[in-house]
Amino acid sequence: MLSAGAPGAGGSERPGGRFSVLSWEQVQRLDQILGEAVPIHGRGNFPTLSVRPRRIVQVVRSRLEKKGIAVHNVRLNGSAASHVLHQDSGLGYKDLDLIFCVDLKSEDSFQLVKDVVMDCLLDFLPEGVNKDKITPMTLKEAYVQKLVKVCNETDRWSLISLSNNSGKNVELKFVDSLRRQFEFSVDSFQIILDSLLLFRECSENPMSENFHPTVTGETMYGDFGEAMDHLRNRIIATRNPEEIRGGGLLKYCNLLVRGFKPKSEVDMKALQRYMCSRFFIDFSDTGEQQRKLECYLQSHFVGMESKRYDCLMTLHRVVNESTVCLMGHERRQTLNLIAMLAVRVLAEQNIIPTVTNVTCYYQPAPYVSEINFNYYVTHVQPLLPGSHSYPTWLPCN
């Protein structure tokens, strides 16, 4: 469908509806993102691939359909979609999350999707590379950052994340069903790409304000106008965070550090408890927690390394205030871990000369009322490069 005359910069939003037509300005931003070359870095001696998101979608979609897997539509998801809808959102964007809505009714379908993507990567290798002895397993080891498959009663989807050394991964998600598709209202947007991709394939004329495809956005939050208001005004809102893997706890702290404010302080204090509870269900020991925190800091603060400390201190405060599901010693272990990671971040930024003699103070959560409780004092031990062990028990005075 073509648009002869676009709506204003905010797009066409139907009150209370979950869909909205993108404005000309938004369509331009979307087209730019899809047309920008993104490097996919190879490990070892494998060359860097330079691919455009538009081309990846076209090739993968074509190959899937030839193999008998119908692609109902393709969508841009997450922070990139939010950036298209409101450029000055404060979120920025790094990963390019592309959702292929497909039918995955059998184990063979999951394997076929994976094989198709690996086959496409082979085609993206530069000219002159001998492809004869390169196997799908070799390509996976060289170019795939993350490979996920989820198959249960409510969710059937897979994710193939292609590596980028600056953290701007191209994430291909193949979704049959997915019960929870967002964390907060500001990252709940999906933009359906089919009309724009078809226009680029078929039209001999360039796009203009008076001649461009009608592109539709959708919010998984439920109300497009409300979600856009949250995005424009940097408001934090969510529903049922206990449904989110990790509770949305780290994203919540990330948003606070970026200057977002809760829609309701009172309601958010209650939701923080659900976030913490779900986080500790999914990451129950300090080893898992450390790996999750390190991975999150590495991938979500590229170019904003100075904010890592602020995020950890915000997390420390939220966990200290709102954790009700842990035993006392478990909670202290987690707070100790967060404090040590925060000190390490400062050391990496040369803000402090050494971490050997730093002491971190923190006090019990407000609901702890035992008369003998006082401030805990933890002497942070020096962190050696590559060392990832922490004491099982937190020494307390």
Side-chain angles (χ1 to χ4, degrees):
M1 183 184 296
L2 297 181
S3 174
S12 174
E13 300 163 14
R14 181 179 299 173
R18 51 188 302 131
F19 294 94
S20 175
V21 174
L22 271 61
S23 70
W24 165 233
E25 181 184 344
Q26 292 165 339
V27 171
Q28 285 180 297
R29 278 200 295 272
L30 175 62
D31 188 58
Q32 182 179 3
I33 286 176
L34 295 180
E36 287 179 347
V38 179
I40 299 173
H41 297 108
R43 297 182 180 89
N45 295 324
F46 278 83
T48 297
L49 311 181
S50 180
V51 297
R52 301 179 192 278
R54 178 184 291 111
R55 181 62 179 157
I56 295 176
V57 171
Q58 290 168 337
V59 173
V60 171
R61 182 176 199 158
S62 174
R63 297 279 176 87
L64 286 174
E65 291 177 341
K66 285 180 180 177
K67 295 290 185 179
I69 295 182
V71 180
H72 304 299
N73 57 65
V74 183
R75 299 174 175 228
L76 182 68
N77 183 51
S79 58
S82 299
H83 173 79
V84 167
L85 295 171
H86 185 59
Q87 189 171 17
D88 189 27
S89 66
L91 290 171
Y93 78 95
K94 47 178 204 63
D95 291 344
L96 281 173
D97 300 328
L98 296 165
I99 296 178
F100 293 77
C101 298
V102 295
D103 294 323
L104 299 172
K105 301 305 181 187
S106 67
E107 287 297 316
D108 291 342
S109 300
F110 282 95
Q111 185 61 44
L112 187 56
V113 164
K114 178 183 170 184
D115 292 343
V116 162
V117 174
M118 295 303 110
D119 190 44
C120 292
L121 287 179
L122 192 64
D123 286 351
F124 287 131
L125 287 169
E127 292 183 11
V129 175
N130 186 354
K131 305 176 184 179
D132 294 338
K133 295 183 179 180
I134 300 178
T135 65
M137 180 61 69
T138 303
L139 287 169
K140 181 178 80 70
E141 293 299 323
Y143 292 109
V144 175
Q145 177 76 21
K146 184 166 54 177
L147 197 62
V148 178
K149 182 178 82 170
V150 175
C151 186
N152 56 42
E153 292 182 358
T154 58
D155 298 333
R156 295 183 67 86
W157 58 271
S158 67
L159 170 71
I160 300 175
S161 179
L162 305 179
S163 301
N164 179 280
N165 293 343
S166 63
K168 194 172 183 178
N169 296 339
V170 177
E171 303 209 327
L172 309 178
K173 182 178 283 188
F174 301 88
V175 177
D176 180 292
S177 59
L178 181 58
R179 185 177 62 152
R180 178 76 183 218
Q181 300 191 48
F182 73 99
E183 290 184 281
F184 295 87
S185 61
V186 293
D187 65 7
S188 68
F189 299 102
Q190 295 181 4
I191 299 173
I192 303 170
L193 304 178
D194 299 63
S195 61
L196 182 57
L197 294 172
L198 183 62
F199 181 91
R200 282 297 188 185
E201 288 181 20
C202 300
S203 176
E204 297 179 355
N205 299 313
M207 288 197 307
S208 68
E209 185 171 359
N210 294 318
F211 184 74
H212 63 268
T214 299
V215 181
T216 303
E218 181 181 8
T219 174
M220 302 298 110
Y221 183 71
D223 186 320
F224 200 98
E226 183 181 357
M228 277 299 297
D229 181 66
H230 295 168
L231 185 63
R232 294 185 187 108
N233 297 292
R234 303 192 181 188
I235 294 172
I236 302 174
T238 189
R239 299 190 181 103
N240 306 321
E242 67 276 8
E243 296 177 353
I244 308 167
R245 176 164 172 78
L249 178 62
L250 301 185
K251 181 62 175 284
Y252 173 62
C253 295
N254 190 345
L255 291 174
L256 289 174
V257 166
R258 291 173 182 267
F260 286 70
K261 302 295 183 184
K263 180 180 179 181
S264 165
E265 291 283 354
V266 175
D267 291 345
M268 195 54 69
K269 289 293 183 183
L271 291 177
Q272 283 180 187
R273 295 194 175 192
Y274 289 106
M275 293 180 199
C276 290
S277 296
R278 179 60 196 261
F279 181 84
F280 292 117
I281 289 171
D282 293 329
F283 308 100
S284 56
D285 64 65
T286 53
E288 291 179 317
Q289 293 162 17
Q290 180 187 349
R291 286 189 292 274
K292 178 61 178 177
L293 287 173
E294 288 179 337
C295 181
Y296 191 87
L297 293 173
Q298 183 67 32
S299 61
H300 287 77
F301 290 90
V302 176
M304 298 179 59
E305 286 76 11
S306 61
K307 293 292 187 181
R308 291 174 179 172
Y309 176 79
D310 296 334
C311 185
L312 286 167
M313 286 295 91
T314 301
L315 175 64
H316 189 286
R317 175 179 59 78
V318 172
V319 169
N320 191 37
E321 291 176 352
S322 301
T323 299
V324 296
C325 62
L326 298 181
M327 300 287 287
H329 72 277
E330 293 173 326
R331 179 174 156 276
R332 293 193 294 271
Q333 285 178 36
T334 297
L335 290 172
N336 184 43
L337 167 63
I338 298 169
M340 285 192 286
L341 288 175
V343 171
R344 188 172 76 180
V345 164
L346 290 181
E348 289 171 350
Q349 297 173 14
N350 294 320
I351 295 176
I352 55 177
T354 177
V355 295
T356 305
N357 297 313
V358 175
T359 301
C360 297
Y361 297 88
Y362 53 91
Q363 67 182 121
Y367 54 80
V368 177
S369 58
E370 285 84 350
I371 192 169
N372 293 325
F373 273 89
N374 207 330
Y375 284 85
Y376 299 103
V377 182
T378 302
H379 298 283
V380 179
Q381 302 301 316
L383 292 168
L384 301 176
S387 172
H388 298 296
S389 61
Y390 291 94
T392 305
W393 293 88
L394 173 66
C396 299
N397 290 346

